[in-house]
Amino acid sequence: MGINAVFEALSHPVRREILQLLRGGPMSAGALAEHFTLSKPTLSVHFAKLKEAELVAVERQGTSLIYHLNMSILEEALSGLLSLKEPK
């Protein structure tokens, strides 16, 4: 996981909203899609960016893809960002 990939993933409001929704627990791709007026291909790109940054984990249950929030990666990225800040 590269920190640049994490921040690139976090740079888009749709991806931040997906992460916010996943804070409530794992959700299927279909359940997540219900919260947006975007096409499935567009949402797939957003899901792929989140997966590439390892901010989400994906598990197949039958024909459904279930997305889980990977808080440890998010915490690691935020910790890394805070460590860049120079002390006063």
Side-chain angles (χ1 to χ4, degrees):
M1 179 273 314
I3 196 161
N4 289 342
V6 171
F7 288 113
E8 180 183 343
L10 293 173
S11 71
H12 198 285
V14 168
R15 294 190 286 265
R16 291 193 303 269
E17 188 170 345
I18 291 168
L19 294 175
Q20 180 69 32
L21 289 166
L22 291 174
R23 287 183 65 197
M27 294 177 72
S28 70
L32 286 165
E34 291 175 7
H35 293 270
F36 301 94
T37 58
L38 302 170
S39 69
K40 286 184 181 183
T42 299
L43 275 174
S44 290
V45 170
H46 289 301
F47 293 147
K49 283 282 187 188
L50 291 169
K51 187 177 172 189
E52 176 184 310
E54 298 179 18
L55 289 168
V56 297
V58 186
E59 137 188 38
R60 182 172 290 281
Q61 289 183 359
T63 60
S64 297
L65 293 175
I66 307 299
Y67 287 85
H68 302 260
L69 181 60
N70 187 351
M71 278 302 290
S72 62
I73 294 295
L74 188 54
E75 289 168 348
E76 183 180 320
L78 292 175
S79 175
L81 178 64
L82 293 176
S83 71
L84 296 176
K85 185 176 185 233
E86 297 202 17
K88 292 182 179 181

